[in-house]
């Protein structure tokens, strides 16, 4: 195939803005095949997704994606640089020629300049100085970039969520396969953190807030046939808070010190405030400092629940877990090189002892508890969702 388009999607939840992005990316690239990497039931920022990964798969297949791979828990619940690299590793392994991603600043030359600055030794030195002053990584990066450029577009857009990921995608392409062509799709109507809707377009943040208040969100979602059972994010957070209280009594300081993301002394701060806090949000706000931002803490809370070992910190990890495909996607998989085909995991049968799979199964069990889908983890042992062929809608075990 001449053009294989790759997309990285979190979909928390899948809304009309995502559908626009997919359609616009396909319009710009005109691919022969489109492959999506979808983060699992937990997100890069440590949030519980309001829809599970199996539902996400059905939705993106309805949206016209041909092949769906998973970005597992250990790959996804990570800082932007590792999230982006791990996702791009999957897409490069399966042979994409083009990558499209959303941005708030659709000026390629300025995003490339941001990438150049981030890669510079001077930026790395400056950010270390800011970290040493006690600032969180995001704040340190912003303070560092202000010292390196007077371009207000770069300064004001540098830390916006989509731009941050865009820079990391560009860095990953440079490292993994510089031949991949990239395409920037400008975000429309709403930014990531906007809480007000613009017609039928609303940010994922505003939709999640509506779901937490039990409000109807159908106006902001594509009219697809895949059934959706939304998780209430606030209710899930309170369950996490309860489980964190339990983990604090079991792991104590010594055990907590071995957890992914637990920097020196943070375990004592956690133990101090877990007894004082009255809720998940209260714990988050009590623990947050200029060094420890809320995204880092949300990720840390999930890693505490799953007891993720520190050995996974700052590690580039990935696996080829196929969640779904249409007929064209299956035909493409059959033509992949033998070593890549052999590496593709379609079911957890015979893979349970592998680190990423073992942790992913634990993550799915946790999500099942949080969403009151206690047997959700059994979906991991079924074949991928296949549409458009004789196996359409049949997921036998």
């Amino acid at each position: 195939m001449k053009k294989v388009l790759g997309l990285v999607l979190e979909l928390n939840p899948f809304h009309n803005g995502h559908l626009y992005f997919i359609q616009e990316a396909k319009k710009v690239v005109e691919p022969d095949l489109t492959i999506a990497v979808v983060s699992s039931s937990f997100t890069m920022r440590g949030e519980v997704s309001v829809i599970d990964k199996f539902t996400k798969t059905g939705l993106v297949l309805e949206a016209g994606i041909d092949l769906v791979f998973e970005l597992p828990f250990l790959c996804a619940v990570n800082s932007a640089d590792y999230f982006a690299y791990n996702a791009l590793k999957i897409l490069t392994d399966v042979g994409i020629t083009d990558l499209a991603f959303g941005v708030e600043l659709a000026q390629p030359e300025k995003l490339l300049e941001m990438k150049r600055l981030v890669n510079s030794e001077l930026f790395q030195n400056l950010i270390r100085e800011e970290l040493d002053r006690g600032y969180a990584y995001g704040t340190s990066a912003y303070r560092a970039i202000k010292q390196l450029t007077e371009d207000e577009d770069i300064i004001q857009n540098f830390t916006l969520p989509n731009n941050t990921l865009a820079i990391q995608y560009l860095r990953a392409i440079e490292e993994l396969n510089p031949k991949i062509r990239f395409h920037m799709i400008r975000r429309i109507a709403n930014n990531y953190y906007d809480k007000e809707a613009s017609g039928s377009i609303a940010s994922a943040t505003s939709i999640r807030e509506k779901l937490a208040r039990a409000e109807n969100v159908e106006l902001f979602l594509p009219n697809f046939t895949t059934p959706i059972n939304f998780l209430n994010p606030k209710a899930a957070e309170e369950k996490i808070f309860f489980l964190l209280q339990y983990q604090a009594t079991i792991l104590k300081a010594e055990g907590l010190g071995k957890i992914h993301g637990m920097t020196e002394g943070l375990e004592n701060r956690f133990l101090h405030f877990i007894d004082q806090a009255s809720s998940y949000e209260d714990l988050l706000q009590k623990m947050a400092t200029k060094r420890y931002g809320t995204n880092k803490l949300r990720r840390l809370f999930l890693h505490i629940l799953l007891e993720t070992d520190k050995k996974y910190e700052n590690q580039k990890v990935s696996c080829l877990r196929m969640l779904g495909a249409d007929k064209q996607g299956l035909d493409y998989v059959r033509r992949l090189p033998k070593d890549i085909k052999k590496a593709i995991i379609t079911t957890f049968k015979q893979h349970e002892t592998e680190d990423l799979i073992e942790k992913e199964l634990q993550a799915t069990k946790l999500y099942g508890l949080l969403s009151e889908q206690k047997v959700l983890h059994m979906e991991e042992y079924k074949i991928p969702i296949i549409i458009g062929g004789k196996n359409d809608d049949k997921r036998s075990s």
Side-chain angles (χ1 to χ4, degrees), residues 88-96 176 318-320 336-337 340:
L88 261 293
K89 180 64 168 64
I90 294 168
L91 291 171
T92 54
D93 281 349
V94 294
I96 66 162
L176 290 164
S318 67
C319 68
L320 295 177
L336 287 170
I340 298 297

Side-chain angles (χ1 to χ4, degrees), residues 164-203:
T164 298
L165 271 175
I167 295 165
Q168 299 303 333
Y169 290 142
L170 293 174
R171 295 179 75 196
I173 287 174
E174 187 175 57
E175 183 173 348
L176 290 164
N177 183 1
K179 293 182 180 179
I180 291 174
R181 297 177 291 265
F182 63 88
H183 310 268
M184 301 174 184
I185 309 299
R186 180 73 178 268
R187 191 182 182 105
I188 59 168
N190 292 83
N191 286 325
Y192 180 86
Y193 294 113
D194 285 350
K195 295 184 179 181
E196 297 298 326
S198 299
S200 63
I201 301 292
S203 71

Side-chain angles (χ1 to χ4, degrees), residues 17-40:
H18 292 125
L19 183 59
Y20 166 83
F21 166 71
I22 292 170
Q23 292 173 339
E24 193 68 12
K26 293 177 75 171
K27 185 189 302 182
V28 169
V29 178
E30 298 183 337
D32 300 292
L33 185 95
T34 304
I35 303 174
V37 167
V38 176
S39 58
S40 74

Side-chain angles (χ1 to χ4, degrees), residues 81 106 154 195 344:
D81 48 353
I154 289 178
K195 295 184 179 181
I344 292 176

